[in-house]
Amino acid sequence: MSVLIKGGRVVTATDDYVGDVFVDGGRISLLGEALDVTADTTIDASGKLVLPGLVDPHTHLDMPFGGTTTIDDVRSGHEAAAFGGTTCHVDFCIQGKGQTFADALADWHGKREGKALIDMGYHIAITDLSDPERLEELASLPEQGVTSYKLFMAYKGALMVDDETLFKSMEVAAASGALVMVHAENGDAIDVLVKQALAAGNTAPHFHALTRPPETEGEATNRAVQLARVAGCPLYVVHVSCKESVEPIALAREKGWDVWGETCTQYFFIDQTFLERPDFEGAKYVYTPPPRAKDNQDVLWNAVRTDVLSAISTDHCSFLWDGQKTLGRDDFSLIPNGGPGLENRLHMIHHLGVGQGRITLNRMVELLSTNPAKLFGLYPRKGTIAPGSDADLVIFDPSKRKTITVADQHSKADYNLYEGTEVTGDVETVLVRGTVVIDDAELKVEPGYGQFVARAKFGEELRPAALGV
Ligand code: URP
Ligand code: ZN
Ligand code: ZN
């Protein structure tokens, strides 16, 4: 099965030209000006952008959390992702307390099987190293293509680990070739602040932000940076939301340390005043770290422009407002933390970033696709348009106007974080490994098409099989 995409503006992290892309056997085969080839299918992309499929390095599908389970499973999460131009993502596989990593991974494979529409890998989220055998098992995971370890420095009493567990995991990663990811907030201090707020009768959603001040994120970020330096492992700080955590990452990177950071779409758009919306609507914006004071948005744009932060993810962790978020109607600490976003990352970043002159198209591709692919062992199979790479491609109309609304989203969430936002630019056609997955606003593949991707170790390349290296 071959596909010829004709006359589009091909944009990667480094290139920008008008040309043709010829896809054969699921991979990109030829690139050129007016290619003289015949194909089973020809797609006219004139006037459109042809982008590498987006890679989302931070999602939570079908995840038990906050006394409930995220509403998007792999099936609905992938539909939302594909309609937003995401063709591959890395989801968090959570180790239950006392559970082996093998059992946790089996659970996550079970959630994927028969449901996947796009490709996916797993980070392992470590919650319990009390059995000494777990350290040995942890060291073996990169050989199975699970090449990143995630640790939560917050959510006391649930996912949070102590510094001993964090540091031991970092030491294992330094030897095994894994990248360590941290949710950086001081969970102990936050736990004290939450209890004090509730004792004073402060139960409304906006106390979620007031009990997680930016300094608690800055402190934990710096602690993780310093511990990673001692352990000698590479570090990736997830969902950076504020100046206090941008600063230690900037300093570490200035020194040439192996530290990277991501932020998420929502932090550019939603600020802490959203949490004050009446009639419990503020609960829609209860995610962690919380929406911050608006001046942090310029700090984050500067950070992604200057490569202090290297990726933009969604942290898609969707709950129904009616029935799940409402668990915390009388106590903000019981509102499940998380929000939907898989479907609108490209819409929002193209509109706010490229459309408003904050980042270039090349940088957008780097932040949404190439850098996540490189950092998480998927490059160059994913994250670029080059001969031999998987034909994961997005044909994007940069001038089409779209109003983002829950009414036509594909996530099962009953709200959209960006409701009513009018953006310029929309996804038209999406291919995963050369097969059209989305076209003409319709899903074109059956559940089960998506594959698990065994990722390369940190700093190594995932070579396209056909190149034989
Ligand atoms: O509120 C959030 N971010 N929920 C998902 C879990 C996490 O902390 O990433
Ligand atoms: Zn987190
Ligand atoms: Zn998350």
Coordinates of all heavy atoms in Angstrom, one line a residue, residues 58 60 63 65 150 152 155 183 239 287-288 315 317 337-338, ligand 1:
H58 N 3.1 12.6 27.8 CA 2.6 12.6 29.1 C 1.1 12.5 29.1 O 0.3 13.5 28.9 CB 3.0 13.9 29.8 CG 2.6 14.1 31.2 ND1 3.2 15.0 32.1 CD2 1.7 13.5 32.0 CE1 2.7 14.9 33.3 NE2 1.7 14.0 33.2
H60 N -2.5 10.0 30.8 CA -3.0 9.1 31.8 C -4.4 8.5 31.3 O -5.4 9.1 31.5 CB -3.3 9.8 33.1 CG -2.1 10.5 33.7 ND1 -1.1 9.9 34.5 CD2 -1.7 11.8 33.5 CE1 -0.2 10.8 34.8 NE2 -0.5 12.0 34.2
M63 N -6.7 5.3 34.0 CA -5.8 5.3 35.2 C -6.7 5.5 36.5 O -7.3 6.5 36.6 CB -4.8 6.3 35.1 CG -3.8 6.3 36.3 SD -2.5 7.5 36.2 CE -3.3 8.9 37.1
F65 N -7.3 6.9 39.9 CA -6.6 8.0 40.5 C -7.7 8.8 41.3 O -8.8 9.0 40.7 CB -6.0 8.9 39.4 CG -5.1 10.0 40.0 CD1 -4.1 9.8 40.9 CD2 -5.2 11.3 39.5 CE1 -3.3 10.8 41.4 CE2 -4.4 12.3 39.9 CZ -3.4 12.0 40.9
K150 N 9.1 7.1 36.2 CA 8.5 8.3 36.7 C 8.3 8.2 38.3 O 7.9 7.2 38.8 CB 7.1 8.4 36.1 CG 6.1 9.4 36.7 CD 6.4 10.8 36.4 CE 5.4 11.8 36.9 NZ 4.1 11.8 36.3
F152 N 6.6 10.4 41.6 CA 5.8 11.5 42.1 C 6.3 11.9 43.5 O 6.4 11.2 44.4 CB 4.3 11.0 42.3 CG 3.6 10.7 41.0 CD1 3.6 9.4 40.5 CD2 2.9 11.7 40.4 CE1 3.0 9.1 39.3 CE2 2.2 11.4 39.2 CZ 2.2 10.1 38.6
Y155 N 1.3 14.0 46.1 CA 0.2 13.1 46.3 C 0.5 12.2 47.5 O 0.5 11.0 47.4 CB -0.1 12.3 45.1 CG -0.4 13.1 43.8 CD1 0.2 12.8 42.6 CD2 -1.4 14.1 43.9 CE1 -0.1 13.6 41.5 CE2 -1.7 14.8 42.7 CZ -1.0 14.5 41.5 OH -1.3 15.3 40.4
H183 N 7.4 14.3 38.9 CA 6.3 15.3 39.3 C 6.9 16.0 40.5 O 7.0 15.4 41.6 CB 5.0 14.5 39.6 CG 4.0 15.4 40.2 ND1 2.7 15.4 39.8 CD2 4.0 16.3 41.2 CE1 2.0 16.3 40.5 NE2 2.8 16.9 41.4
H239 N 5.4 18.7 33.6 CA 4.4 19.7 33.8 C 4.9 20.9 34.7 O 4.3 21.3 35.7 CB 3.0 19.2 34.3 CG 3.1 18.3 35.5 ND1 3.9 18.5 36.6 CD2 2.3 17.2 35.8 CE1 3.6 17.6 37.5 NE2 2.7 16.8 37.1
Y287 N -6.2 20.7 38.4 CA -5.1 19.7 38.0 C -3.9 20.2 38.8 O -3.8 21.3 39.4 CB -5.0 19.7 36.5 CG -4.9 21.0 35.8 CD1 -3.8 21.8 35.8 CD2 -6.1 21.4 35.1 CE1 -3.8 23.0 35.1 CE2 -6.0 22.7 34.4 CZ -4.9 23.4 34.4 OH -4.9 24.6 33.8
T288 N -2.9 19.4 38.7 CA -1.7 19.6 39.5 C -0.4 19.5 38.7 O -0.3 18.6 37.9 CB -1.6 18.5 40.6 OG1 -2.8 18.6 41.4 CG2 -0.5 18.7 41.5
D315 N -0.6 16.2 29.5 CA -0.9 15.7 30.8 C -2.4 15.3 30.9 O -3.1 15.6 31.8 CB -0.6 16.7 32.0 CG -0.7 16.1 33.3 OD1 -0.9 14.8 33.5 OD2 -0.6 16.8 34.3
C317 N -5.6 13.8 31.6 CA -6.0 13.0 32.7 C -7.4 13.4 33.0 O -7.7 14.3 33.8 CB -5.1 13.3 33.9 SG -5.4 12.3 35.4
N337 N -7.7 15.1 40.5 CA -6.8 16.0 39.9 C -6.5 15.6 38.4 O -6.1 14.5 38.2 CB -5.4 16.1 40.6 CG -5.4 16.7 41.9 OD1 -4.4 17.1 42.5 ND2 -6.6 16.9 42.5
G338 N -6.8 16.6 37.5 CA -6.5 16.3 36.1 C -7.5 16.9 35.2 O -8.6 17.3 35.6
Ligands
URP1 O1 -3.6 16.8 37.9 C1 -2.9 16.0 37.3 N1 -1.8 16.5 36.7 N2 -3.2 14.7 37.2 C2 -2.5 13.7 36.6 C3 -1.4 13.2 37.5 C4 -0.2 14.0 37.4 O2 0.2 14.6 38.4 O3 0.4 14.1 36.4

